[in-house]
Amino acid sequence: DVKVTQSSRYLVKRTGEKVFLECVQDMDHENMFWYRQDPGLGLRLIYFSYDVKMKEKGDIPEGYSVSREKKERFSLILESASTNQTSMYLCASSFPRGISGANVLTFGAGSRLTVL
Amino acid sequence: AQKITQTQPGMFVQEKEAVTLDCTYDTSDPSYGLFWYKQPSSGEMIFLIYQGSYDQQNATEGRYSLNFQKARKSANLVISASQLGDSAMYFCAMREGMKTSYDKVIFGPGTSLSVIP
């Protein structure tokens, strides 16, 4: 019954490494989102995508990039990981507003990244 | 600038009592949506309730209701008859983007609710 799958639950990387976080959804959602969650700061939007190959910056895109080559897959890329990118990363997806007024987000289980 | 404010980092409530979690927001879009999500210690994000900016009535879902005061830009969550299982982080979120063709959903910093037996 899993609908949004994040490929890695826990990752440990070293400073300067390139990191890929993968997210796959099986609900045919147009919208996909990447957030990072830090205590006291809530969820902050990194990037989102509303269609294949389309992406928009969120509130904290610096140091990140994304890729959406297929509708079901949205990847978050850290080109050169830094210690301040240690965080929980949450992927989510939804239908567009026009299909469902509520366009509720469905979240993955999260990927906890530690950068040493 | 933060667009969603949750001024209560932590709250305590006695079991079976009602509790209100505050949320204020800021947007210039006339059309927007407001959400509340719950995140228990297990980490999963659970959708609770939704309010559209044009909805005439306050949203309700079982023990959850949303006290929507549009002029004050507030969307407080009311949980009636608290249960121990309600202990969790609660996030207020807003979908904005009427001026664009896509939906952007942003979250507040969250409120940690603890229900006391």
Side-chain angles (χ1 to χ4, degrees):
Chain A
D1 191 41
V2 175
K3 295 176 177 157
V4 179
T5 303
Q6 294 183 232
S7 55
S8 302
R9 192 78 173 93
Y10 299 95
L11 300 95
V12 179
K13 299 292 182 179
R14 296 206 174 272
T15 302
E17 279 191 80
K18 190 169 186 175
V19 181
F20 291 88
L21 299 179
E22 303 285 340
C23 176
V24 177
Q25 52 96 3
D26 63 2
M27 295 167 288
D28 203 33
H29 284 166
E30 279 81 0
N31 296 335
M32 295 189 76
F33 304 80
W34 275 106
Y35 296 89
R36 64 176 282 177
Q37 182 177 7
D38 301 287
L41 298 177
L43 281 71
R44 292 180 292 167
L45 182 62
I46 305 171
Y47 268 96
F48 64 105
S49 169
Y50 54 96
D51 202 350
V52 175
K53 297 189 185 294
M54 306 304 290
K55 60 185 179 183
E56 291 292 334
K57 293 180 179 179
D59 296 323
I60 53 163
E62 297 78 18
Y64 303 94
S65 62
V66 290
S67 172
R68 192 160 180 207
E69 295 295 320
K70 294 184 178 181
K71 189 176 185 179
E72 66 270 19
R73 186 180 298 268
F74 192 37
S75 303
L76 180 68
I77 304 155
L78 289 67
E79 293 289 342
S80 178
S82 63
T83 55
N84 63 13
Q85 292 178 309
T86 292
S87 186
M88 172 66 85
Y89 290 87
L90 293 172
C91 175
S93 68
S94 75
F95 285 119
R97 182 182 346 124
I99 294 179
S100 169
N103 68 326
V104 172
L105 295 179
T106 300
F107 282 87
S111 298
R112 184 165 293 281
L113 172 66
T114 301
V115 183
L116 302 175
Chain B
Q2 189 168 354
K3 290 192 171 184
I4 299 179
T5 304
Q6 295 180 254
T7 58
Q8 307 149 314
M11 292 271 294
F12 290 89
V13 63
Q14 202 76 35
E15 192 178 8
K16 300 180 184 177
E17 298 291 314
V19 63
T20 298
L21 306 183
D22 295 340
C23 172
T24 57
Y25 59 91
D26 182 31
T27 181
S28 57
D29 284 337
S31 176
Y32 52 90
L34 297 158
F35 305 77
W36 279 91
Y37 287 84
K38 170 185 177 181
Q39 187 181 43
S41 56
S42 59
E44 62 186 308
M45 292 288 284
I46 302 167
F47 165 72
L48 296 178
I49 196 165
Y50 167 81
Q51 179 86 41
S53 59
Y54 291 122
D55 292 344
Q56 294 296 312
Q57 294 187 327
N58 287 348
T60 60
E61 289 285 347
R63 293 186 299 112
Y64 304 108
S65 60
L66 200 153
N67 184 1
F68 181 47
Q69 298 187 45
K70 194 170 183 177
R72 298 178 62 180
K73 293 188 176 179
S74 82
N76 298 340
L77 177 71
V78 181
I79 305 174
S80 63
S82 297
Q83 302 172 356
L84 296 178
D86 293 334
S87 293
M89 284 291 294
Y90 288 81
F91 293 98
C92 180
M94 177 173 67
R95 180 210 70 225
E96 57 180 5
M98 180 185 176
K99 298 176 184 177
T100 63
S101 61
Y102 49 78
D103 303 314
K104 178 180 178 182
V105 182
I106 58 174
F107 285 74
T111 294
S112 177
L113 177 67
S114 298
V115 180
I116 304 166

